[in-house]
Amino acid sequence: MADLVTNDPQIAAIIENETTRQEQGLNLIASENTVSRSVLAAQGSVLTNKYAEGYPARRYYGGCDFVDQAEDLAIARAKKLFHAPYANVQAHSGSQANMAVYFALLNPGDRILAMGLSHGGHLTHGAAASFSGRLFEFAHYGLTPDTEVIDMDQVADLAKSFKPRLIVAGASAYSRIIDFQAFAEIAASVHALFMVDMAHIAGLVAGGVHPTPVGYADVITSTTHKTLRGPRGGLILGSEDLAVKINAQIFPGIQGGPLMHVIAAKAVAFNEAMQPDFARYQQQVVANASVLADALMSRGYKLVSNGTDNHMVLMDLTDKPLTGKEAETRLGRAGITVNKNTVPNEKKGPFVTSGIRIGVPLITSRGMKPDAVQQIARLICDVLDDVAAVDRVASQVKDLCRQYPLYPGEVR
């Protein structure tokens, strides 16, 4: 940082302020985490200098011997981690991984069946504002009205009537186990391809606390951050017979040169995810989320599906005098970062919403366990119950965060 402070003090100050925000606040964004020092080191390395269009041993530039080794290692580790026969590690994001798969397997205008956005799906699962909704024809399944879990009867009925070319399982805001076998059977019954977007649960799958889609899905996409605790980026897994099509859609189809520093950081994260303490971390994530769910419900707050099986909870504020946007803002003033989120049968729209999404991966990475999670639940409810509690809670949040530094041993 010394050179940056000298040469660009404005950016240095912004980074310092963000570091302070992360250190002193409770980040409960379900799609965020904190990476290891090793991941930071790889991503901040001289590999960022290297242009490497193409794939290992088939580059359009010279001087790629060592970045080839880094990408080969990332591919081998991804395949080993998830027990998958094929991996592409070049996707810059989960959205671009999804785009590449759609383009590899489908033609514009083809039909796709996926989870609806307000029920927990992702923008790339057919939202009108996304490339997916603009280029392909989507039908959407949702949650059962009573239990608020994925309505597999609806999935089966829509598959028969809509006749999709591709069925997508996976979500951005869903707190229960996904039955990949049931989806695969429905896809096979209508001769559709089956894709799983496991961006949110990839770390849970790697840690053995969520069933794997490998062996059921034709192709699997993911991010490499979130629960996987790596750098921000994308990943595609699948069978060898799809490798040529998918690789061609990543490059030259939708991307240019890969981010070799990020790919090296992905390799580091995949190696970390194969260590025994990573499985223990994921077990703690699930345990912490369960504690959070119970504590919030004990204070009278409704959760979608009345609980969680994974790393997040979805708080439904429909019956409260707060919108999701207002809750996000109020909690933010107290140093608690969440995001507003739609709930099933949303009435207020995606920019206001009737709910908030709360995740525990990052606080678990900081070392927090059930006692701390219980305290966090109390602080959340105190703020949502009474705006006058914001200043008191903000002080308690800072006190709690001091006990669990992002990077222990660093002097600040």
Side-chain angles (χ1 to χ4, degrees), residues 154-279:
Q154 184 189 34
V155 175
D157 290 343
L158 282 170
K160 290 176 184 175
S161 61
F162 186 61
K163 296 180 173 59
R165 182 77 183 91
L166 177 71
I167 295 177
V168 178
S172 181
Y174 183 65
S175 62
R176 294 300 183 176
I177 295 289
I178 299 174
D179 188 343
F180 298 127
Q181 181 176 351
F183 269 100
E185 290 171 355
I186 291 171
S189 73
V190 295
H191 307 290
L193 294 165
F194 177 37
M195 169 184 146
V196 170
D197 179 346
M198 68 171 186
H200 263 273
I201 58 171
L204 304 178
V205 170
V209 296
H210 189 292
T212 179
V214 175
Y216 296 110
D218 295 291
V219 64
I220 300 158
T221 63
S222 182
T223 53
T224 48
H225 43 290
K226 301 187 176 80
T227 55
L228 196 51
R229 209 159 59 174
R232 295 187 60 83
L235 171 68
I236 304 172
L237 305 171
S239 57
E240 284 286 2
D241 61 335
L242 295 178
V244 172
K245 285 184 177 181
I246 292 173
N247 285 350
Q249 288 304 327
I250 286 287
F251 175 82
I254 64 172
Q255 295 185 175
L259 307 177
M260 296 311 306
H261 56 304
V262 178
I263 288 175
K266 290 177 184 179
V268 173
F270 297 150
N271 185 57
E272 291 175 346
M274 286 187 276
Q275 307 311 311
D277 62 347
F278 188 81

Side-chain angles (χ1 to χ4, degrees), residues 267-331:
V268 173
F270 297 150
N271 185 57
E272 291 175 346
M274 286 187 276
Q275 307 311 311
D277 62 347
F278 188 81
R280 290 191 289 270
Y281 162 72
Q282 297 297 343
Q283 292 162 6
Q284 192 63 60
V285 166
V286 172
N288 283 350
S290 180
V291 168
L292 178 66
D294 290 343
L296 294 174
M297 289 189 293
S298 73
R299 286 283 295 264
Y301 282 90
K302 182 185 184 308
L303 302 183
V304 175
S305 81
N306 292 317
T308 181
D309 297 320
N310 58 26
H311 62 297
M312 73 169 79
V313 300
L314 295 164
M315 185 180 285
D316 187 341
L317 302 171
T318 302
D319 297 329
K320 299 288 184 180
L322 275 175
T323 66
K325 182 177 182 180
E326 290 166 341
E328 175 189 307
T329 300
R330 188 184 295 184
L331 288 167

Side-chain angles (χ1 to χ4, degrees), residues 42 47 56 59 66-82 84 86-91 224 228 231 234-237 258-271 274:
L47 295 182
R59 306 288 191 184
F66 299 115
V67 294
D68 277 5
Q69 292 176 24
E71 185 166 348
D72 281 337
L73 197 54
I75 290 168
R77 289 176 175 177
K79 289 162 62 175
K80 183 177 180 181
L81 175 63
F82 291 106
Y86 156 77
N88 183 299
V89 297
Q90 288 196 8
T224 48
L228 196 51
L235 171 68
I236 304 172
L237 305 171
L259 307 177
M260 296 311 306
H261 56 304
V262 178
I263 288 175
K266 290 177 184 179
V268 173
F270 297 150
N271 185 57
M274 286 187 276

